[in-house]
Amino acid sequence: MSGGNAIRGTRVGAGPMGESERGESAPRRRVSYWCANGHESRPSFAVDADVPENWDCPRCGLPAGRDEQTPPAPPRNEPYKTHLAYVKERRSDADGEAILEEALAKLRRQREVP
């Protein structure tokens, strides 16, 4: 029961594909990064590529640096803030009272109109 599909069961990249068909791969180098938990990761980069100073640790997700003795500090997690907390950072209580009075006055004017 052939459906006439000659490429049935194959996928992109499948098959006997060697260096002669793909071309030569770029020369690579491995660079070591260490996180605050002591995990080492060794991603590879092209020899002529710029190597980043920090890399995310694939095991724990912390930032990792190239100096094993002084890895980057873990990011500081700020507690969740509500919308009201952000508003209170920007406005004083007096500002809030003034805005409230302005909004109430506007509502009162709208109700007075017949």
Side-chain angles (χ1 to χ4, degrees):
M1 287 186 28
S2 173
N5 190 353
I7 59 171
R8 184 175 176 189
T10 62
R11 60 182 166 75
V12 174
M17 196 170 184
E19 291 293 322
S20 62
E21 293 181 28
R22 281 190 299 222
E24 294 294 320
S25 61
R28 314 287 287 168
R29 67 176 163 157
R30 289 202 169 271
V31 179
S32 293
Y33 290 91
W34 289 271
C35 70
N37 290 334
H39 303 138
E40 179 186 14
S41 55
R42 293 180 39 99
S44 64
F45 298 95
V47 171
D48 58 348
D50 292 332
V51 177
E53 286 299 315
N54 292 328
W55 193 260
D56 289 338
C57 177
R59 291 181 63 190
C60 64
L62 292 176
R66 296 175 62 188
D67 184 6
E68 183 178 8
Q69 303 305 316
T70 56
R76 185 171 170 261
N77 289 334
E78 302 229 358
Y80 174 77
K81 287 186 185 178
T82 63
H83 175 68
L84 181 60
Y86 283 110
V87 170
K88 286 184 176 183
E89 283 181 0
R90 295 191 317 263
R91 308 239 189 248
S92 67
D93 288 342
D95 290 340
E97 289 292 328
I99 292 170
L100 178 61
E101 281 303 317
E102 183 182 323
L104 289 174
K106 183 178 178 183
L107 283 174
R108 289 182 188 123
R109 283 193 306 272
Q110 288 175 350
R111 288 188 176 174
E112 290 175 2
V113 176

